Amino acid sequence: MLISMTTLIDMFRALADPTRLRIARLARNMELTVGELAHVLDQSQPRVSRHVRILAEADLIDRRKEGSWVFVRFADGELAASAGAMLAHEGDPEGDVARLEAVRADRVAAAEDYFAQHASNWDRLRMLHVSDNEVETAIQDMLAQRPLGALMDIGTGTGRMLELLAPKARSAIGIDRSAEMLRAARGKLEAAGLGHCPVRQGDMFALPARDASVNTIVLHQVLHFAHRPELAIAEAARVLAPGGRLLVADFAPHDHEELRRDHAHARLGFADDAVNEWMAQAGLIANVPEHLEGKLTVTIWLGEKPALEAEKAA
């Protein structure tokens, strides 16, 4: 890669300050909020925010707002990769990376508290359908035909699908509208050794991803919250790469009206014909769905985006 002299000067100027150098090293290890950075560095949030802004202007870190929080992560791209390679040889003289363990521990504790508070509601829902283990095994089996590649879990919730599938993917990201859910997911992923797996605030109808950039997308028990489920499937198809797959796991049609009343379900399940038609409209080829019988039947649909002609020939 050819890097201009001006770009190099900006990069080195951004890293010349000791605090910014520490921030860059920390951001290489895990995604952090500005508040967490301030805690590790023992500095004020306004001061840390100023340093973060300078690093972001030098394209060394990315900032992302989620509610009232601002998350910081090391940037992608060749310039940041070159800077990261230099940082890898810097060591950790201030002991900042060691103090990150306290941040991880706080996230895990917050997730455990969240799960404890909501366990009774989840248990009541689980009693209505087949076991999670049966559903998860079926999902894994259906996706085992070929590598997952770049994985996206839409409506990631507590991050269970990422915990299950991310170790088998080249890269993985979770998307959810709820900041509270995302905080719980981060703690769960840290506990599972998947702290490198990012989760982002986003909407299933406007995914924060480029066209044709994802190989596998999962919508696990999410579509029944959508008033326009066909639009959610169309948006997922937009970001699927040619040859990519969309897996939808949700309820078959049922008459449990209490799920609409008490749990905000917009749809009481889906018929195969409806989901298959939405996939076809989005340019996906629907496979034969799998039905897991219970008080509420869980159906798993799989749609594939046609590969490019060159890929078919290969």
Side-chain angles (χ1 to χ4, degrees), residues 249-270:
D250 218 300
F251 297 126
H254 62 84
D255 59 2
H256 288 264
E257 187 64 38
E258 70 274 13
L259 294 182
R260 195 195 311 270
R261 183 185 65 244
D262 301 333
H263 299 281
H265 288 205
R267 296 295 188 100
L268 299 184
F270 302 97

Side-chain angles (χ1 to χ4, degrees), residues 149-296:
L151 169 72
M152 175 182 285
D153 180 29
I154 301 174
T156 195
T158 60
R160 175 54 188 161
M161 286 295 104
L162 291 176
E163 188 179 13
L164 185 72
L165 299 172
K168 303 170 186 176
R170 183 179 71 247
S171 64
I173 185 171
I175 307 295
D176 204 287
R177 289 185 64 183
S178 168
E180 185 180 19
M181 279 290 194
L182 291 176
R183 286 193 286 273
R186 289 188 184 98
K188 187 169 188 176
L189 292 169
E190 289 288 351
L194 294 168
H196 61 281
C197 184
V199 292
R200 298 279 182 271
Q201 192 166 38
D203 194 295
M204 73 174 88
F205 301 110
L207 296 171
R210 302 186 310 276
D211 293 359
S213 60
V214 180
N215 303 109
T216 306
I217 296 178
V218 175
L219 279 162
H220 175 251
Q221 294 294 0
V222 173
L223 206 60
H224 56 243
F225 291 112
H227 289 276
R228 296 288 304 278
E230 71 279 12
L231 298 184
I233 287 177
E235 175 65 359
R238 175 186 69 80
V239 305
L240 267 184
R245 296 174 293 170
L246 168 64
L247 183 144
V248 177
D250 218 300
F251 297 126
H254 62 84
D255 59 2
H256 288 264
E257 187 64 38
E258 70 274 13
L259 294 182
R260 195 195 311 270
R261 183 185 65 244
D262 301 333
H263 299 281
H265 288 205
R267 296 295 188 100
L268 299 184
F270 302 97
D272 291 346
D273 289 347
V275 176
N276 290 342
E277 176 62 23
W278 296 332
M279 286 188 174
Q281 290 172 355
L284 305 180
I285 300 170
N287 291 8
V288 177
E290 181 172 350
H291 303 283
L292 305 175
E293 302 290 340
K295 290 183 179 179
L296 282 177

Side-chain angles (χ1 to χ4, degrees), residues 10-11 14-15 24 55-62 73-75 79-80 83:
D10 290 343
M11 181 183 76
L15 293 172
L55 288 167
E57 289 172 350
D59 294 326
L60 292 173
I61 64 171
D62 291 328
R73 65 186 294 268
F74 207 69
L79 175 65

Side-chain angles (χ1 to χ4, degrees), residues 82-131:
S82 298
M86 291 187 291
L87 291 172
H89 300 289
E90 286 293 315
D92 182 30
E94 298 87 358
D96 292 337
V97 174
R99 284 192 288 276
L100 284 181
E101 292 308 313
V103 173
R104 290 191 174 96
D106 287 344
R107 288 185 178 184
V108 172
E112 290 175 347
D113 181 61
Y114 179 88
F115 298 143
Q117 291 181 35
H118 294 82
S120 59
N121 286 334
W122 290 332
D123 288 343
R124 282 195 295 272
L125 283 175
R126 286 191 180 104
M127 289 174 63
L128 291 174
H129 61 78
V130 294
S131 72

